[in-house]
Amino acid sequence: MQSEIRKKLIDAFTKSKGEYLSGQYLADLIGCSRTAVWKHIEELRKEGFELEAVRRKGYRITKTPEKVTPDEIRLGLQTETLGRQIHHEESVDSTQKIAHRLAYEGAQEGTVVIAEEQLSGRGRMDRRWHSPKSTGVWMSVILRPNIPPPKAPQLTLITAVAVVQAIEVLTDLTPQIKWPNDILMNGKKVTGILTELQADADRIISIIIGIGINVNQELDDYPDELKDIATSISIEKGEKLSRAELIRVLLGKLENLYKLYLDKGFYPIKLLWESYAVSIGKNLTARTITGSIYGKALGITEDGVLMIEDSSGKVHHVYSADIELDV
Amino acid sequence: MLKVQEIRELIKLVDQSNIDEFVYEHEGSKIKMKKKGNEAAVVQQIQPAVVQASAPAPQPVQSAAVEEPKAEAPAQVPAPQADAAEDLHKIVSPMVGTFYQSSSPDADAYVKAGSKVTKDSIVCIVEAMKLFNEIEAEVNGEIVEVLVKDGQLVEYGQPLFLVKPE
């Protein structure tokens, strides 16, 4: 975990927006000697930051590492709670597992677990999610909302909207959402979201939102069987993205939508979600482990439940299913 | 079907309690008891065929993980006191969603009838909109009955398991 001093330093460089900060200023800020400041600067360099040191002017950050370390993400982070505690790992089994443990140990709301590589990413029902090192965003966010447990599934739709908005900001491309929360670009999956809830009968203890985004993978990174169904942001945009920036923007969007939701309820989220939805008004098949429904997607209910009208005019409310759109 | 001895035990419990009416259903059999003040209790045990015609559906009947239109909405979940007499703990669903007995289709069920559980044993998953809720037993004891099927849509508050507490 990052030290409090490093956090203060990074926050100061965030505020300075590329201007020089003097050694004395930084020493006063973090309450230590200028020699100690120099030591912390060296630590940042070891992490991959490039810092310029100019006599009489001070320090400024000129280049950031292509990693998603807590310092890298914190530089420019605009949130109040989300991502204020970041747990970074080089390689993990699953960020969800670590987040579970942290949540159990009392981690505060907004704590984020991020990995450069995820070895056994979990999709729905333990389906595998392809993830080579340092090309994607694999993260878990811990939330502790004071809402009734039956409302918790709505947070998966909120997260989908946040991811779409973040990609929109950074690429000018608008991804689409396939119910409930798969994110598609050009009809191929770019993001998967899986959420886990720990709750008592009437109280949420924690919600852990797992987000896997394909960011800088190239077409060759995908095995043939995935090429037609999966893509990355960089494949769609034609250039690489800073993953740290994507995470920062995403955490900002997610925090805003989460606050909006706690404040005004699901209705404004529903409108946003529907504006990005690929499936509304289209024919699709909803597959469940016990059977399938074919019909036209009418929209979602006030709770986020998918409504499908079959050929006889009967409207089905779908809580769980894999959706296949007609081609 | 309950044994005569078990029915006798039930009558005794209902008799001593302050409930006026008691209905118990299990695998298509149904027992209904009514108290008439201090007079003798009326006991009926109905065969499955009769139940189909007379009993309101206590839970969603469709097998797919979808809710039918409002007209077919499942009836209210039975009041908790119905089973209180039996001293069995009910594990109920905290939300509407799909009941999964295991972590993946290939995995073994978390529990089945006869499984011993502790308070924090995971007994199943209820999922809606890709939010997975691992349900814990909440009591130490033994699973007596699994009340729903894998993949079935469950309602908020619907009983999922009966547990005999230790």
Side-chain angles (χ1 to χ4, degrees):
Chain A
M1 293 297 278
Q2 42 190 162
S3 71
E4 287 305 311
I5 290 175
R6 288 264 286 288
K7 284 185 191 173
K8 279 190 186 169
L9 270 181
I10 292 286
D11 286 348
F13 282 117
T14 299
K15 277 190 204 134
S16 80
K17 295 196 171 81
E19 293 297 312
Y20 289 94
L21 295 176
S22 76
Q24 190 57 53
Y25 172 82
L26 293 172
D28 291 345
L29 182 82
I30 60 182
C32 68
S33 69
R34 286 169 63 176
T35 319
V37 168
W38 178 81
K39 277 187 187 158
H40 288 294
I41 298 286
E42 284 308 299
E43 285 299 314
L44 285 177
R45 285 190 169 129
K46 275 186 202 154
E47 216 180 80
F49 284 90
E50 286 177 24
L51 286 112
E52 202 176 21
V54 178
R55 270 178 70 89
R56 293 179 187 283
K57 281 187 170 173
Y59 301 95
R60 70 183 184 119
I61 290 177
T62 53
K63 198 163 179 282
T64 54
E66 228 334 282
K67 288 244 171 179
V68 284
T69 61
D71 289 341
E72 170 87 19
I73 290 163
R74 200 173 171 88
L75 186 68
L77 187 65
Q78 306 291 339
T79 58
E80 279 172 26
T81 52
L82 265 56
R84 287 289 143 190
Q85 293 292 334
I86 296 173
H87 190 99
H88 174 259
E89 298 277 346
E90 278 296 319
S91 184
V92 296
D93 222 21
S94 150
T95 56
Q96 288 293 93
K97 282 187 192 161
I98 296 174
H100 267 287
R101 178 170 56 76
L102 294 176
Y104 182 76
E105 289 166 1
Q108 69 187 55
E109 175 162 84
T111 299
V112 170
V113 178
I114 296 177
E116 299 290 336
E117 178 180 44
Q118 184 163 265
L119 301 173
S120 66
R122 288 150 76 187
R124 188 181 143 87
M125 305 312 282
D126 281 347
R127 215 169 278 166
R128 291 291 169 124
W129 177 260
H130 185 70
S131 45
K133 193 160 188 179
S134 294
T135 54
V137 166
W138 295 287
M139 62 189 267
S140 297
V141 181
I142 300 173
L143 296 180
R144 300 184 186 276
N146 182 18
I147 57 171
K151 298 241 177 231
Q154 295 173 341
L155 283 157
T156 71
L157 277 67
I158 294 172
T159 307
V161 173
V163 173
V164 168
Q165 289 184 338
I167 295 175
E168 228 177 0
V169 166
L170 295 178
T171 65
D172 287 330
L173 300 171
T174 301
Q176 291 182 300
I177 305 173
K178 189 179 80 170
W179 187 90
N181 55 17
D182 276 351
I183 294 169
L184 310 180
M185 293 179 85
N186 207 7
K188 298 174 188 174
K189 184 160 166 173
V190 74
T191 297
I193 297 164
L194 178 150
T195 305
E196 291 170 282
L197 170 70
Q198 289 78 48
D200 288 340
D202 53 358
R203 189 180 65 95
I204 289 173
I205 300 164
S206 65
I207 289 180
I208 298 172
I209 304 174
I211 306 170
I213 310 176
N214 296 336
V215 187
N216 288 330
Q217 289 94 338
E218 292 170 12
L219 208 51
D220 290 346
D221 290 332
Y222 292 100
D224 283 344
E225 69 266 25
L226 287 180
K227 281 192 167 101
D228 290 336
I229 54 172
T231 189
S232 73
I233 300 177
S234 83
I235 291 171
E236 298 307 318
K237 184 177 160 64
E239 64 183 57
K240 303 245 181 211
L241 245 73
S242 154
R243 288 176 303 141
E245 190 179 7
L246 176 63
I247 292 168
R248 271 194 299 275
V249 176
L250 170 56
L251 290 172
K253 294 288 180 192
L254 185 56
E255 183 169 290
N256 288 344
L257 291 166
Y258 180 54
K259 279 185 188 159
L260 177 69
Y261 170 70
L262 294 179
D263 206 30
K264 308 264 189 220
F266 187 66
Y267 187 68
I269 308 292
K270 174 182 187 280
L271 297 180
L272 287 168
W273 188 94
E274 285 179 335
S275 74
Y276 294 121
V278 64
S279 42
I280 308 299
K282 293 200 178 140
N283 284 332
L284 48 76
T285 307
R287 288 190 202 287
T288 74
I289 69 169
T290 51
S292 298
I293 295 165
Y294 179 80
K296 189 168 91 175
L298 298 180
I300 55 173
T301 67
E302 298 302 311
D303 290 323
V305 175
L306 180 65
M307 294 181 286
I308 301 178
E309 186 180 5
D310 67 19
S311 55
S312 71
K314 193 166 162 185
V315 177
H316 302 259
H317 285 196
V318 178
Y319 286 85
S320 324
D322 282 335
I323 304 299
E324 274 170 39
L325 299 164
D326 278 4
V327 196
Chain B
M1 194 68 69
L2 290 174
K3 297 191 190 84
V4 175
Q5 202 177 346
E6 290 171 307
I7 296 174
R8 195 182 299 148
E9 192 64 29
L10 275 174
I11 294 171
K12 217 193 299 176
L13 287 166
V14 172
D15 202 23
Q16 288 161 0
S17 76
N18 54 6
I19 57 176
D20 293 315
E21 199 170 331
F22 174 76
V23 183
Y24 172 75
E25 274 185 88
H26 174 61
E27 293 180 352
S29 303
K30 184 174 176 182
I31 288 183
K32 197 171 172 184
M33 301 179 194
K34 251 185 193 169
K35 278 200 275 191
K36 287 182 179 170
N38 290 328
E39 293 175 39
V42 178
V43 181
Q44 290 174 280
Q45 182 152 4
I46 307 169
Q47 290 304 312
V50 187
V51 173
Q52 296 299 334
S54 65
Q59 59 189 39
V61 276
Q62 68 274 21
S63 55
V66 294
E67 187 194 66
E68 295 300 318
K70 286 285 178 270
E72 291 177 37
Q76 279 293 309
V77 168
Q81 64 261 32
D83 276 303
E86 287 190 85
D87 270 350
L88 290 182
H89 174 80
K90 271 182 192 165
I91 304 174
V92 302
S93 178
M95 61 185 213
V96 187
T98 304
F99 171 89
Y100 294 114
Q101 63 180 14
S102 58
S103 63
S104 73
D106 310 327
D108 290 339
Y110 287 109
V111 294
K112 46 194 173 200
S115 300
K116 295 274 185 205
V117 292
T118 59
K119 271 182 187 171
D120 47 11
S121 300
I122 294 166
V123 291
C124 67
I125 287 175
V126 175
E127 178 262 351
M129 296 177 234
K130 289 200 189 171
L131 177 128
F132 293 79
N133 191 353
E134 289 183 339
I135 312 297
E136 296 178 356
E138 291 162 7
V139 289
N140 299 327
E142 183 185 322
I143 302 284
V144 174
E145 194 183 349
V146 184
L147 301 166
V148 287
K149 290 199 173 66
D150 197 33
Q152 183 182 323
L153 179 79
V154 295
E155 290 295 316
Y156 172 75
Q158 182 175 335
L160 306 174
F161 300 91
L162 294 177
V163 188
K164 190 178 177 185
E166 269 169 11

